[in-house]
Amino acid sequence: MPGPVSGLLARFRGIQRALLVALVLVPVLIVTLALVPALIVLPFLSSRTSQVGALIAQLAAWTGSLLRVSRDE
């Protein structure tokens, strides 16, 4: 039977996970906002369309990692 201490520790783990996700989310948002001009201009250059796909794939990978870290174990 779990005691009051284990419930308190579980609550702190949830708070710790939320703070970690918030800290990791800030750089991902900054990079995403910095890439917006490139994502607007590069598709119109015929030689750069593959780079746009690579940028979007990398952003999707970072977002997926962030979401996996934020889930409860």
Side-chain angles (χ1 to χ4, degrees):
M1 185 164 149
V5 174
S6 64
L8 185 63
L9 289 177
R11 193 174 327 144
F12 282 135
R13 268 191 298 244
I15 292 171
Q16 180 185 13
R17 179 170 281 125
L19 289 175
L20 178 65
V21 169
L23 286 175
V24 173
L25 186 62
V26 171
V28 171
L29 288 176
I30 290 172
V31 168
T32 303
L33 289 174
L35 285 177
V36 167
L39 293 174
I40 292 172
V41 173
L42 286 178
F44 295 106
L45 303 174
S46 61
S47 63
R48 303 295 184 168
T49 54
S50 63
Q51 285 183 342
V52 172
L55 290 172
I56 292 172
Q58 187 62 49
L59 284 175
W62 287 340
T63 305
S65 296
L66 180 64
L67 291 174
R68 277 189 298 280
V69 168
S70 68
R71 286 193 301 189
D72 286 334
E73 296 174 355

